[in-house]
Amino acid sequence: MTTLRTNQDLDPDRLREVFGIFPSGVVAVAALVDGVPVGLAASSFTSVSLDPPLVSFCIANTSKTWPDLRRAPHLGVTILADHHSSVARQLAGAVERRFDGLPLIVTAEGAVTLDDGLAHFDTTIYNEVPAGDHTIILLRLSAAGRSQLPDPSPLVFHQSRFGRLHTG
């Protein structure tokens, strides 16, 4: 085992490589803004609290999408399934094509979720916490539901690649 030492070079490329060893799930965060779906993919999603019901994700401070998305009164969060790797790439791509061909559910409050996701959350922004070059977005749940798929398997992001969990 390598011994950790202080004052080592913690450059962003090295950190990205080390951080990438930890696998994470992937979510879509989306809403109607001025009548148009706006959204992004995030791999930093986590549950935070049961009382009050909170979840979070992190967004880069350089995001061009977040300033528009945060104006929405409600945000939809979809936990992506293992067959959604192309959807995650699409949501990270060209803004004007992010929702092309995707089956969407839109609530009366404007939260947007993907119809075939593993779980769906209708949320509101609870707090935004500055954290270095990112902001931690805390979301309060208004509603939650899960897919009735018999064998749900989440999309996993690991070492800069999308994959799936292996059972057995």
Side-chain angles (χ1 to χ4, degrees):
M1 176 168 240
T2 303
T3 303
L4 292 177
R5 61 185 198 288
T6 59
N7 298 322
Q8 61 180 318
D9 183 14
L10 295 176
D11 72 87
D13 290 335
R14 176 156 167 69
L15 283 174
R16 187 174 286 112
E17 177 186 335
V18 174
F19 289 164
I21 290 170
F22 185 73
S24 62
V26 184
V27 297
V29 181
L32 288 184
V33 178
D34 299 327
V36 177
V38 174
L40 51 86
S43 62
S44 56
F45 176 80
T46 191
S47 58
V48 175
S49 171
L50 295 175
D51 187 17
L54 301 174
V55 296
S56 73
F57 72 98
C58 297
I59 187 77
N61 294 337
T62 57
S63 171
K64 303 282 192 240
T65 303
W66 181 244
D68 287 331
L69 192 55
R70 70 186 300 275
R71 293 188 299 123
H74 282 247
L75 302 176
V77 177
T78 306
I79 296 178
L80 300 183
D82 60 7
H83 65 274
H84 282 134
S85 60
S86 63
V87 171
R89 285 187 201 88
Q90 183 174 333
L91 290 171
V95 172
E96 65 279 357
R97 305 191 65 100
R98 287 188 180 171
F99 294 94
D100 288 359
L102 298 181
L104 303 178
I105 299 170
V106 181
T107 68
E109 295 82 13
V112 174
T113 57
L114 297 174
D115 183 46
D116 59 346
L118 296 182
H120 306 93
F121 303 97
D122 182 328
T123 72
T124 56
I125 297 172
Y126 182 78
N127 200 1
E128 297 181 48
V129 182
D133 60 3
H134 280 65
T135 299
I136 302 166
I137 311 300
L138 290 164
L139 301 172
R140 185 175 185 134
L141 302 182
S142 300
R146 60 167 288 175
S147 161
Q148 296 305 311
L149 292 173
D151 188 25
S153 179
L155 182 64
V156 176
F157 190 67
H158 179 243
Q159 295 185 322
S160 298
R161 293 188 308 256
F162 294 111
R164 63 183 303 173
L165 293 177
H166 293 283
T167 57

